[in-house]
Amino acid sequence: MSEETKIITEMIVGASQKAREETSNEPEPELTQPLQWPVKAMIGPGLEGAIACESKIGYVNGSKGWLIYRGYDIFDLCAYSTFEEVSYLLLNGDLPTASELDNFKQKLVSYGFLNQTLRLLMSSPVESMNTMSAIRLGTLLMRRTITPLDLEDGNPFRADFINCDEDSIPMETAPKGEVHAIYEFKRPSDDMDNNEACIHLIAGLATITAAVARIHQGRMPIEPDPDLGHAANLLYMMTGRKPTPVEERIMDIALILHADHGMNASTFAAMVVASTLSDIYFSVGSGIAALNGPLHGGANEQVVRTLMEIGGPENVPAWVKETLSSKGKVMGFGHRVYKAYDPRARVLSVLAKFLAETNESIKPLFDTAQSLEKEVVSQLGTKKNIFPNVDFFSGIVYSCLGIAPEMFTPIFAVSRVSGWTARILEYLENNRIFRPRAMYTGEFNKQYVPFDQREGKK
Ligand code: ACO
């Protein structure tokens, strides 16, 4: 461990101590007991308060501001662990032994080579696509072509569609091409089950995200380096440069921090799709779609754009006044579950400070962020329990690592795929399709009016 990475560990331990001093970490009893279905819950709009399932994967103590993965405190995992270990932990229930970790890392490296999937992806206009839609497409292209559904009687063999000259075939004609192109979507090994597909997806999202970043820079994607860890490889494949130990460590911590977070919108979206017994690749694709929104993972990109728009710490009070008086939201603040300081923001805040101190171009953004944090917390902290969330400082950290804002949310997906897949696997053990109801507040018994008798009024 280099001197600088030791400093990073110390900073995280310091952030953890501060959190301990400011909050206590008793579990909330009503949310840590085995369920007896049906459960009684007070449900608010947006399913606030609803309990969807039991889980042993992770726990968010919203009133105290603590986050636990499989029993381990997020601060400890950030200080001492790696994203590979944490992904293994989320998927398997405990931290890996040396040989388990070695095996897991080898799989991540080998599944990270997705040359054929990337070639397919590049046949789409990736350079002009939104980066989240590009990584979603790439994820779906990783999916094996042949599933039992695809092979049902009456369904044409999908591979027949792939390798023919589509331009010469009328749209309404099912083309019959050669079948050898089936490859790329195919499972890397014939015995790949859902557990293996999770590792395939964790590895693949990093490669695809890095490739999308490269294509957006007008460059060709590059393959992973088998000698690098997952975080280092992500940076290497995006920038073409092997990261320094500090850059690698910071990216590793950022990936750990974003890996899981209860029944957040993207996890729930992925689980809803999985609960239909759809393919896990489709499920992860749905998670990516949900994460894209500015109320969820998309906020990190918006934060940096907001900081640029504010233009400096001196403009913060006026900007906040105007935003709040027009009922606007300040991106990177507030959370459905946290009513205290988000522990992930505590870690990212110290990392952002550490990096911004030596980065002249980002320092003004960080200064603006600190001033914005102070102003928003003083106005809304006690009044509405609004504090910075995970998205507030992550963009500054990524900017210091030379990453463009359009890649911030894809990087979130590179990490959250561990949580999505772990929770899908867990839910499928006792699967029941998600199917809530809506309260119908429309009309009944309306007389059908034939088209030619309807007048003006809608
Ligand atoms: N800025 C200003 N006011 C806010 C903010 C904010 N960021 N967040 C919440 N509030 C206010 C609301 O205006 C509302 O006030 P009111 O009761 O006077 O009407 C109150 O706090 C409750 O807000 P809701 O939007 O009802 O809270 P909800 O739990 O539905 O939403 C959310 C949570 C979406 C995260 C919200 O805080 C928000 O929009 N934040 C900004 C976007 C953001 O940073 N998203 C990332 C979240 S972290 C993640 O997903 C990874």
Side-chain angles (χ1 to χ4, degrees):
M1 198 188 271
S2 71
E3 275 311 307
E4 277 182 309
T5 55
K6 269 193 207 148
I7 294 174
I8 293 169
T9 305
E10 283 161 18
M11 288 184 329
I12 294 169
V13 172
S16 163
Q17 277 162 356
K18 190 159 185 264
R20 272 172 215 283
E21 281 157 23
E22 290 178 8
T23 62
S24 54
N25 187 25
E26 318 89 55
E28 295 161 303
E30 75 277 20
L31 287 170
T32 51
Q33 304 299 314
L35 286 175
Q36 293 290 334
W37 294 106
V39 291
K40 282 195 178 149
M42 285 286 280
I43 300 175
L47 292 181
E48 180 170 13
I51 308 286
C53 59
E54 278 185 19
S55 176
K56 292 186 164 53
I57 291 176
Y59 174 64
V60 183
N61 185 334
S63 55
K64 315 279 185 214
W66 285 84
L67 172 61
I68 309 290
Y69 294 170
R70 297 276 193 187
Y72 296 95
D73 186 319
I74 193 67
F75 289 110
D76 290 341
L77 293 171
C78 285
Y80 307 115
S81 197
T82 62
F83 178 68
E84 287 93 326
E85 278 199 282
V86 165
S87 297
Y88 184 98
L89 169 72
L90 291 170
L91 286 169
N92 298 288
D94 217 336
L95 290 166
T97 61
S99 67
E100 285 165 344
L101 181 61
D102 200 38
N103 184 25
F104 189 72
K105 280 170 143 179
Q106 277 178 23
K107 283 184 184 175
L108 282 178
V109 166
S110 72
Y111 290 152
F113 285 85
L114 289 176
N115 298 4
Q116 292 176 315
T117 299
L118 292 187
R119 278 196 196 101
L120 270 183
L121 180 62
M122 288 165 72
S123 65
S124 304
V126 175
E127 62 287 349
S128 57
M129 284 167 82
N130 160 292
T131 50
M132 286 295 275
S133 62
I135 68 159
R136 183 172 190 236
L137 175 60
T139 303
L140 297 179
L141 291 174
M142 286 174 68
R143 173 186 178 263
R144 59 186 194 258
T145 310
I146 304 305
T147 70
L149 285 178
D150 295 323
L151 289 175
E152 259 172 25
D153 279 353
N155 264 353
F157 190 49
R158 294 290 191 266
D160 291 353
F161 285 77
I162 296 171
N163 203 34
C164 44
D165 174 7
E166 289 192 14
D167 290 344
S168 64
I169 298 168
M171 284 291 286
E172 65 273 29
T173 308
K176 290 279 170 215
E178 299 161 44
V179 292
H180 71 80
I182 193 164
Y183 80 75
E184 287 110 284
F185 303 107
K186 203 173 171 187
R187 296 175 286 181
S189 68
D190 284 341
D191 59 355
M192 184 183 270
D193 56 13
N194 261 355
N195 293 298
E196 208 63 14
C198 295
I199 310 173
H200 186 214
L201 279 158
I202 294 168
L205 255 166
T207 305
I208 289 168
T209 295
V212 169
R214 299 277 297 172
I215 295 166
H216 271 241
Q217 298 158 15
R219 297 191 161 102
M220 288 296 286
I222 46 182
E223 291 181 350
D225 179 336
D227 293 331
L228 296 179
H230 197 69
N233 247 326
L234 175 65
L235 285 169
Y236 166 65
M237 289 188 287
M238 277 196 288
T239 62
R241 180 179 63 76
K242 299 222 173 120
T244 64
V246 168
E247 290 169 331
E248 173 179 3
R249 186 73 197 110
I250 285 184
M251 178 50 83
D252 213 5
I253 294 165
L255 293 180
I256 292 170
L257 281 174
H258 290 83
D260 184 65
H261 206 249
M263 296 294 283
N264 59 86
S266 59
T267 299
F268 189 49
M271 288 172 66
V272 168
V273 173
S275 82
T276 70
L277 299 186
S278 181
D279 193 283
I280 194 160
Y281 294 80
F282 282 137
S283 307
V284 167
S286 302
I288 294 170
L291 188 68
N292 180 54
L295 295 187
H296 190 15
N300 55 13
E301 186 179 339
Q302 301 297 326
V303 169
V304 167
R305 298 197 192 285
T306 300
L307 296 174
M308 288 173 174
E309 179 197 314
I310 294 174
E314 66 284 4
N315 302 330
V316 163
W319 186 90
V320 170
K321 192 171 173 210
E322 194 188 324
T323 303
L324 297 185
S325 61
S326 59
K327 300 256 171 249
K329 285 199 171 160
V330 189
M331 290 291 131
F333 286 85
H335 200 275
R336 173 63 64 77
V337 180
Y338 287 121
K339 299 304 165 203
Y341 209 105
D342 182 335
R344 303 165 302 172
R346 287 184 191 272
V347 174
L348 287 164
S349 156
V350 294
L351 296 182
K353 183 165 193 273
F354 173 75
L355 289 170
E357 302 266 274
T358 53
N359 189 320
E360 266 180 36
S361 60
I362 307 295
K363 181 80 173 41
L365 277 191
F366 179 73
D367 292 342
T368 309
Q370 273 199 315
S371 174
L372 185 60
E373 175 188 4
K374 221 167 145 197
E375 188 71 24
V376 174
V377 171
S378 78
Q379 296 208 26
L380 302 178
T382 320
K383 195 165 137 205
K384 291 191 183 176
N385 293 325
I386 287 177
F387 299 93
N389 60 47
V390 68
D391 285 328
F392 189 59
F393 288 106
S394 62
I396 293 180
V397 169
Y398 298 144
S399 298
C400 291
L401 296 177
I403 297 166
E406 61 186 8
M407 297 315 300
F408 297 170
T409 316
I411 290 172
F412 196 151
V414 167
S415 165
R416 185 55 61 84
V417 64
S418 297
W420 291 332
T421 51
R423 286 183 184 262
I424 287 169
L425 286 189
E426 182 187 57
Y427 189 75
L428 288 178
E429 281 170 23
N430 291 300
N431 184 51
R432 190 155 193 239
I433 190 167
F434 283 109
R435 203 338 185 157
R437 292 195 68 180
M439 188 67 75
Y440 177 70
T441 55
E443 298 171 71
F444 287 97
N445 301 325
K446 287 185 90 176
Q447 181 68 42
Y448 182 82
V449 182
F451 185 72
D452 55 6
Q453 291 169 30
R454 286 174 226 160
E455 304 229 336
K457 176 160 108 42
K458 266 234 165 197

